[in-house]
């Protein structure tokens, strides 16, 4: 069984290595590479780079213990992402969720998306409890969040400052205005 990371969770990859990251697992296909690196303008000293040397896909999965959040309606996943090589569907990220670490379901609003500005970080957030409900994953002692990078050629994505918590990361929104 995977070692579960506790809630709330934050990872900025500042250790400069993927060795010993509790709760994380990584998978690569073909000639792809996943690494913590300082190359490519990280937000701090290091970030997670999903690097496609040829063609294929990589996944980075975090296993979380959300047993203290059963019934929660305010969970957020947020992270920063930048594209290197291309900003297109040919260099995209998909977020998938699982309750057992084996069967993953794609979050429809987080499928095949990508930053629109090359080499510049953009901030993303996901209403995690709503996404878990939409993928039929129960909030309990084991929830798995998979970042799946798909690419052709030598395109890369980098991720940094990944957080799971209850913070409203973008703050209040105006939904209507009466004059």
């Amino acid at each position: 069984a995977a070692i579960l990371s506790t809630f709330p969770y934050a990872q900025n990859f500042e250790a400069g290595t993927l060795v010993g990251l509790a709760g994380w697992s990584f998978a690569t296909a073909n000639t792809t590479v996943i690494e913590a690196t300082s190359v490519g303008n990280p937000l701090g000293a290091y970030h997670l780079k999903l690097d496609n040397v040829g063609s294929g896909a990589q996944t980075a999965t975090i296993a979380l213990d959300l047993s203290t959040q059963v019934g929660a309606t305010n969970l957020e996943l947020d992270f920063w992402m930048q594209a290197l090589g291309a900003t297109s569907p040919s260099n995209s990220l998909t977020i998938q969720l699982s309750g057992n670490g084996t069967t993953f379901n794609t979050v429809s609003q987080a499928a095949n998306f990508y930053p629109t500005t090359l080499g510049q970080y953009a901030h993303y957030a996901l209403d995690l409890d709503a996404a878990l409900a939409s993928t039929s994953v129960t909030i309990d002692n084991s929830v798995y969040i998979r970042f799946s990078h798909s690419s052709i050629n030598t395109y890369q994505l980098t991720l940094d400052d990944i957080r799971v918590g209850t913070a409203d990361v973008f703050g209040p929104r105006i939904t209507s205005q009466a004059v």
Side-chain angles (χ1 to χ4, degrees):
I3 297 171
L4 301 178
S5 293
T6 57
F7 182 89
Y9 180 79
Q11 181 56 253
N12 59 15
F13 305 101
E14 292 304 301
T17 180
L18 302 181
V19 176
L21 287 181
W24 283 90
S25 61
F26 303 95
T28 61
N30 300 326
T31 56
T32 64
V33 176
I34 298 174
E35 62 183 338
T37 181
S38 60
V39 176
N41 302 316
L43 295 175
Y46 294 92
H47 53 191
L48 180 68
K49 185 167 119 178
L50 306 165
D51 191 352
N52 196 356
V53 179
S55 66
Q58 310 91 10
T59 61
T61 306
I62 178 69
L64 295 169
D65 178 354
L66 295 183
S67 59
T68 61
Q69 301 304 307
V70 173
T73 58
N74 62 342
L75 301 179
E76 296 274 342
L77 163 66
D78 78 296
F79 59 95
W80 291 80
M81 178 172 64
Q82 83 173 317
L84 302 172
T87 59
S88 74
S90 298
N91 188 26
S92 63
L93 186 76
T94 296
I95 295 177
Q96 300 167 313
L97 302 172
S98 174
N100 60 18
T102 303
T103 304
F104 284 85
N105 298 308
T106 297
V107 178
S108 61
Q109 66 268 35
N112 299 313
F113 68 100
Y114 54 92
T116 56
T117 304
L118 189 64
Q120 190 173 57
Y121 267 101
H123 192 199
Y124 296 88
L126 179 67
D127 181 338
L128 185 57
D129 48 276
L132 288 164
S134 75
T135 57
S136 302
V137 176
T138 304
I139 298 173
D140 61 12
N141 62 335
S142 56
V143 171
Y144 299 80
I145 302 170
R146 176 182 282 173
F147 298 90
S148 181
H149 173 230
S150 179
S151 175
I152 60 171
N153 297 319
T154 57
Y155 302 154
Q156 306 99 37
L157 288 178
T158 62
L159 301 174
D160 213 344
D161 293 349
I162 298 171
R163 299 182 304 178
V164 176
T166 57
D168 185 0
V169 296
F170 289 118
R173 296 156 191 83
I174 298 173
T175 58
S176 66
Q177 178 179 355
V179 197

